[in-house]
Amino acid sequence: MTALSSEQLLQFLLAIGLMLFAGKLFGELFRKIKQAAVVGEIIAGILLGPTLFGVLSPETFDWIFPSSGPVSYSIDGLTTLSIIFLLLAVGLEVDLSVLIKFGRAAIKTTFLSMLIPFILGFLGGYLLTPIFNLSGSNQLLFSLFLGMAFSISALPIIARTLLDLGIFKSNLGMMIIASAMFNDLLGWIGFSILLSVAESQKAGPPLIIAIPLILLFSFLMIFVLRRIISKAVFWIQNNFSWPGGILGFIITFGLAGSIITEKLGVHSILGAFIVGVAIGDSVHLEARTREIIQQFITHIFAPLFFVNIGLHFNFIQSFDLMIVLIVVGLGFIGKIVGAGIGARWGGFSSAESLAAAFALNSRGVLEIILAIFALKLNLINAEIFEAVIVLVVLSSIISGPAIKIILNKRTHLKKN
């Protein structure tokens, strides 16, 4: 493929400019009303895509956002890079000291908050296959996908919700965060394994070899190499230009981790996440450095990724009320019941356990990425994909108000 022509470069720049503008505009509007920016960014993509813009001006839409060709490939490449950087940022938020301090209660909560929704999703995938209108799809892989999509939570959205409610530093808040971190670690590893099974034709070592290798890579990064990384962070911050030196190191190391996991036969995004966990645990990583890279990624790359979701589907044509009700209903019931029982088992009161359940019911990045890959691999159809997006949006919107009602403003939670 040759370089982009002048017109193609214009198309690419216009597409990226519109995606970033719309994503930031709607993301900020939703922040103003105390909702997750990701919800606004997804809605921006829906409005900018074939659902609205493609209907109002189909020729203009097809010119700016072509479905194939060099411009389309360039946008897809930038979107892939956005996913990698987004997972690097999520990994930076994982605090291993919190996992250790609140580990026992968090493990109990995480165990049931993942097990029950996974079982419910898996059985739902098997028993309700005719309703989902799937043809030519692997029933086992689809059921595993649904179980995985139901069982994982959204750490960034949960953290933002707890901060807005003023309970982030309470024992309940820290336990919820620790549980969400465990959930992220298990969820990304499980997601990568599922993706590797689905992409059985992909080059790389067999899955029976790839899984032990990726677990070994994760262990070495988190428990061995993170100490070396921590010293490297200290040296770079004191000897290189700031913030450019340390930012370049973090991004480069994240890409290196992505290359390693991709070569191991597991998706590159897991490598970026694991590297993010290892770097984020460094005591030498300055708070302002962490804030700069989070701001850079979440305000530039994240909107491009989430807006891009809406550019490929007509959400009106793909809307199936029955499928949406099943996915949202099973997703909510499984997560709330599982997390609630788990938190109660972990020693929290009934009200605190229910609040934890609604917090952990928040969905986000992982479900969306999982759904995108499942759609590309024909494990799901557009109707199920849209139902998962609705699940993400509704769970993110409801969690904050539900927690506030359950705990009440007069409730005083014990600080850690």
Side-chain angles (χ1 to χ4, degrees), residues 193-395:
I193 293 173
L194 174 61
L195 188 60
S196 297
V197 173
E199 294 181 321
S200 56
Q201 77 282 0
K202 183 179 176 180
L207 191 62
I208 194 172
I209 298 176
I211 292 176
L213 287 176
I214 200 62
L215 291 176
L216 176 61
F217 168 75
S218 302
F219 175 82
L220 290 175
M221 285 299 304
I222 295 175
F223 296 103
V224 180
L225 295 179
R226 70 184 174 90
R227 299 187 180 185
I228 300 175
I229 292 171
S230 181
K231 293 180 180 180
V233 167
F234 175 79
W235 187 83
I236 290 172
Q237 286 188 149
N238 285 277
N239 291 278
F240 283 33
S241 60
W242 188 90
I246 187 63
L247 294 183
F249 166 76
I250 292 174
I251 290 176
T252 302
F253 204 39
L255 291 174
S258 298
I259 293 171
I260 292 173
T261 53
E262 185 74 21
K263 292 298 292 184
L264 291 177
V266 181
H267 201 277
S268 56
I269 56 178
L270 179 63
F273 175 73
I274 296 298
V275 167
V277 174
I279 296 176
D281 189 60
S282 172
V283 295
H284 301 299
L285 184 63
E286 297 181 8
R288 55 179 184 164
T289 302
R290 192 189 305 268
E291 178 65 17
I292 286 174
I293 195 166
Q294 289 286 356
Q295 291 289 329
F296 175 65
I297 291 175
T298 57
H299 288 278
I300 302 297
F301 289 100
L304 292 176
F305 167 66
F306 289 117
V307 169
N308 188 61
I309 294 170
L311 298 181
H312 302 285
F313 309 97
N314 188 318
F315 279 75
I316 295 178
Q317 291 181 354
S318 303
F319 186 82
D320 187 309
L321 181 60
M322 178 63 70
I323 292 178
V324 169
L325 290 175
I326 291 173
V327 170
V328 173
L330 291 178
F332 269 62
I333 291 171
K335 199 67 173 180
I336 292 172
V337 170
I341 295 174
R344 195 76 175 94
W345 182 25
F348 289 87
S349 68
S350 297
E352 290 173 333
S353 299
L354 187 58
F358 273 95
L360 291 169
N361 186 50
S362 299
R363 320 298 171 97
V365 176
L366 180 51
E367 287 86 355
I368 294 173
I369 295 176
L370 179 59
I372 288 174
F373 282 109
L375 186 65
K376 289 181 178 179
L377 294 170
N378 295 318
L379 297 182
I380 62 174
N381 52 32
E383 289 77 11
I384 298 172
F385 176 83
E386 184 169 339
V388 173
I389 298 298
V390 174
L391 172 63
V392 170
V393 172
L394 288 181
S395 63

Side-chain angles (χ1 to χ4, degrees), residues 31-53:
R31 285 182 188 274
K32 292 291 185 182
I33 58 174
K34 302 296 183 182
Q35 295 296 332
V38 61
V39 177
E41 291 161 359
I42 292 172
I43 292 175
I46 293 174
L47 298 178
L48 201 58
T51 306
L52 182 63
F53 183 37

Side-chain angles (χ1 to χ4, degrees), residues 98-99 102-119 147 150-153 155 158 174-188 334-346 348 353 356-357 360:
V98 173
L99 295 183
F102 295 89
R104 182 173 297 180
I107 287 174
K108 292 178 180 179
T109 304
T110 303
F111 176 69
L112 290 181
S113 73
M114 296 189 75
L115 178 64
I116 292 179
F118 181 85
I119 293 174
F150 286 172
S151 65
I152 44 190
S153 303
L155 175 59
I158 292 171
M174 287 290 96
M175 187 283 293
I176 293 172
I177 290 298
S179 180
M181 289 177 184
F182 275 125
N183 196 295
D184 263 13
L185 286 169
L186 296 175
W188 283 114
K335 199 67 173 180
I336 292 172
V337 170
I341 295 174
R344 195 76 175 94
W345 182 25
F348 289 87
S353 299
L360 291 169

